[in-house]
Structure formats: C-alpha cells, structure tokens
C-alpha cells in the first residue's frame, strides 16, 4: 500500500517555471506526503536557467530540448518522445503541467497515452479564437480536454471549464500561482538597483513583446510606435528586455538599437525584471504573465494584442487591449502620459488574478486525493 503520491512537475519555458516554482517549493515542504520529481524539457534554455537560479531549483532530469529558431512540429515531436521515455522510467502517479506552452500540451498528451493523471495549473483561460494567441489557445484546450484535475486561477476561467462540461469535483479555483511567485520574490527586491541607469524625473515605459501572432507586420508596427513615442516625448525613457526568439530579436534590434531614450536589454532574471516593473510609469506588452503581475504594483498595462484570455484586468480598468496598429499604440500611450485622470484610474486596485495562496490550495487538494 502506497503512503505518498509520486508527483512529476514538468516545465519548459520561463513563465512555466515562474508559475510552478511556488507549487514545487510548497510540495517540497511535505516530503512525508509527496515524492516529487522535477522534469525540465528546457524548451527555453537560457531563460529557464535564469529562473532556476532565482528560485534555487534543480530539475531531477533535464532534456535540453531547445534548438535555435525551433519550429512547433520539431519541438512537439522532441518533447513527446523524450518525455514519454521519462514517464516509462519514473512512472509518476500524477503529472503537473502549467499553462499553454508546447511543453505543457505535449507532456499532457504523453501522460494521457500512458494513462497517467494530469493536473493543470492555470486552467480554463480562453479567448475563443484559435489563432489568438497562437498556438496557445489550442494548447490549453487540448490540455483542458484530457486533464484529470483543473486549477483555474479565476472565476471566469472556472466558468469556462464548466461550460466545456468539466465535472465540478475536478475543478479547484486557486488563484494564479504567479501571485505566490511575486510574494516569494518581494523580500528580495529591496536593495537591488535597476539593470539600466534611469534619469531621475523621467517616466519609464517598460516594453515586452514576443507572441507568434505578432511576428512580421505587427512587430514592425510595435517598433515604429516605440520610435514615435521616444521622439515625441523627451521626458520618457523606454526600457525593453528583448525576447531571444530570432523572429523578435532581429526586428527589434534592427529598428530600435542605438536610439535616444530607448534601452534594449537582454532578457532579465525575475528579480531584475520586477525591479524595473516597480519603477515603470506604464507597461506596454503582449505577455500573459506581465498582465497578471502589473496590478500588484499598480501599473497601467496596454496590451498589444487583439484579444486577451485575461479579461479580469480589463474589467477592473487597469489594463486595456490596444492591438498592434502603430497609430493606436502611440495614441493610447499618449493618453496615459498626458492625462492624469486616465493614469490615476489605471494605477489603482488590487490584483484580480490571485491572493498568493494558490500553491497551498493545490498542495491541499493533492493531499486530499485517495492513494491507490
Ligand atoms: C514560448 C511559448 C509561449 C510563451 C513563451 C514565453 C510555445 C509554442 N510558445 O514561446 O507560449 O508565451 O515561450 O516566453 O510553447 N530562445 C533562446 N533562448 C531561450 C528561449 C528561447 O534562444 O532561453 C529562442 C530559440 O531560438 C528558440 C526560440 O527562441 O528556438 C523560440 O522558443 P520557443 O519556446 O519555441 O517559443 P517562444 O516564442 O519562446
Ligand atoms: N520576465 C522576466 N524577465 C524579462 C521579461 C519577463 O523575468 O526580461 C517575466 C515576467 O515577469 C513574467 C514572465 O517572465 O513573469 C512572462 O514571460 P513571457 O512574457 O515570456 O511569457 P508569457 O507570460 O507571455 O507566456
């Protein structure tokens, strides 16, 4: 008779590790209840390593899958074959995956093929548009179809799952574990100086952009809008840690390198990034995680996407969907820079995505499951 669950946590990319680190750290506190195994696909190599350092985690196995400019099919087949081998070797009772990446979707499929139970952290996010975000909307729907346990962060996400026919007893609304990660990092932020020297008195706009559906013209528009903003406002500095995906990096450096008041940086570790987020006047992003973090620091977020699966920030009035049209981006940024009321309205409130207790709820849920 078994006395504890054998749980395998799988992560591949920067955001997966940020959002699974609190779950791993929580489960590690209860070795009498859980036998834990961490598997890194390393779909991201350097950006994953940055986060492993910050959270002081070490995977039990690292598949080192990333290749430069990888395609979705190449990545998917590598993850499927290699993760599947580890399942055969380790035979976990439960596999935990997070979000909507290729690592998450393919690992969930591989677990399903071996009839291993799948638990999905950050379940139920939907836009209803299979190409926005691409391929993430389909990735998370596939996971939603085959997962055994679903941990939606919000009521809206939980409702999405109910509408798709997931039985109530398999759903636990937990809050987003990213808020747990922020709480964990918070004490480490003080005393850190920003990675870039900012001129006192200037307003800083923090930018990130990496989504596949924004490759090509949208990315070009984003770059041109950033140039317009930097030329229009000499009291504004733009700080942009650039995602290493070659489709992003080449365009961004070609357009924005060596320009006044635009600072292009390498991807930052989590502490350095949050230090800058705290200093920002506003945030311009197409990221999922950044939308969830900004309300903790009361920062207005302009979302350079056509739709978001995170409507809570928009409903609370602290974020706004602005698309990727050059003029529109410039106009929306200008409104926040020039209109105090708009700025103030978007810089308040609490974080609608979680309360920092998500990983505890997840741990208690696993503890309540009956052992075979
Ligand atoms: C992936 C996820 C996306 C998530 C994003 C977070 C998929 C299909 N996409 O997109 O959902 O929002 O991560 O950042 O799962 N690279 C490096 N070093 C790194 C990481 C990436 O050089 O540490 C470069 C490589 O050339 C790599 C490329 O970026 O081939 C693309 O990486 P990949 O994970 O396939 O896609 P992302 O665009 O990062
Ligand atoms: N982030 C970071 N360093 C950076 C840029 C982002 O640590 O230079 C963090 C950010 O705080 C958030 C996560 O990375 O938690 C978001 O990752 P990304 O935007 O790549 O993925 P998404 O959330 O869109 O899937």
């Amino acid at each position: 008779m078994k006395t504890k669950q054998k749980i395998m946590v799988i992560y591949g990319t920067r955001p997966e590790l940020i959002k699974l680190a609190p779950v791993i750290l929580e489960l590690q506190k209860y070795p009498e209840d859980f036998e834990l195994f961490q598997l890194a696909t390393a779909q991201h190599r350097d950006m994953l390593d940055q986060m492993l350092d910050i959270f002081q985690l070490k995977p039990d196995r690292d598949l080192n899958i990333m290749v430069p400019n990888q395609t979705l099919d190449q990545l998917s087949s590598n993850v499927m074959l290699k993760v599947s081998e580890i399942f055969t070797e380790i035979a976990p009772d439960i596999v935990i995956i997070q979000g909507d990446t290729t690592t998450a979707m393919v690992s969930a499929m591989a677990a399903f093929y071996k009839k291993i139970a799948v638990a999905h952290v950050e379940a139920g996010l939907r836009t209803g548009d299979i190409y926005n975000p691409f391929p993430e909307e389909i990735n998370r729907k596939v996971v939603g179809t085959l997962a055994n346990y679903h941990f939606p962060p919000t009521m809206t996400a939980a409702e999405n799952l109910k509408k798709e026919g997931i039985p109530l007893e398999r759903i636990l609304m937990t809050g987003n574990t990213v808020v747990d990660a922020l709480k964990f990092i918070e004490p480490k932020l003080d005393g850190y100086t920003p990675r870039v020297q900012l001129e006192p008195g200037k307003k800083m706009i923090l930018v990130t952009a990496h989504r596949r559906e924004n490759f090509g013209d949208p990315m070009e528009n984003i770059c041109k809008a950033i140039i317009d903003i930097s030329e229009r406002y000499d009291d504004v500095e733009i700080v942009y840690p650039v995602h290493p995906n070659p489709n992003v990096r080449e365009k961004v450096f070609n357009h924005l390198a060596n320009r006044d008041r635009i600072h292009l940086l390498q991807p930052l570790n989590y502490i350095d990034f949050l230090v800058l987020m705290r200093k920002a006047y506003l945030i311009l992003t197409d990221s999922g995680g950044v939308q969830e973090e900004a309300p903790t620091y009361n920062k207005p977020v302009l979302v350079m996407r056509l739709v978001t699966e995170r409507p809570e920030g928009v409903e609370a009035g602290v974020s706004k969907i602005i698309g990727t049209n050059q003029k529109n981006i410039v106009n929306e940024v200008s409104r926040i820079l020039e209109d105090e009321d708009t700025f103030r309205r978007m810089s308040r409130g609490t974080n609608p995505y979680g309360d920092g207790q998500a990983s505890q709820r997840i741990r208690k849920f696993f503890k309540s499951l009956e052992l075979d």
Side-chain angles (χ1 to χ4, degrees), residues 298-315:
N298 297 327
K299 304 296 175 185
V301 184
L302 295 175
V303 183
M304 298 184 291
R305 297 192 189 189
L306 302 177
V307 278
T308 183
E309 60 290 272
R310 294 164 169 91
E312 295 83 357
V314 178
E315 282 154 16

Side-chain angles (χ1 to χ4, degrees), residues 345-362:
R345 244 183 295 119
M346 292 187 76
S347 318
R348 56 166 169 72
T350 52
N351 193 320
Y353 297 103
D355 62 1
Q357 309 289 315
S359 22
Q360 276 189 42
R361 293 187 185 105
I362 291 169

Side-chain angles (χ1 to χ4, degrees), residues 14-15 18-19 44 47 50-51 100 178 208 210-211 241 243 266-270 273-274 277 286-290 293 305 310:
R14 164 170 74 188
I18 291 171
K19 291 171 171 178
H44 284 174
M47 297 206 295
Q50 278 184 322
M51 298 308 157
D100 49 23
V178 80
T208 78
H210 72 85
R211 303 233 75 83
H243 192 289
Q266 299 301 320
L268 297 170
N269 75 44
Y270 201 34
F273 187 73
L274 294 179
M277 192 184 275
D286 67 4
S287 163
V290 173
E293 291 161 343
R305 297 192 189 189
R310 294 164 169 91

Side-chain angles (χ1 to χ4, degrees), residues 80-101:
M80 176 62 83
L81 292 174
K82 293 194 176 170
V83 166
S84 187
E85 278 173 22
I86 305 286
F87 287 162
T88 305
E89 181 189 332
I90 305 296
D93 301 310
I94 299 171
V95 162
I96 302 182
I97 45 110
Q98 193 283 334
D100 49 23
T101 64

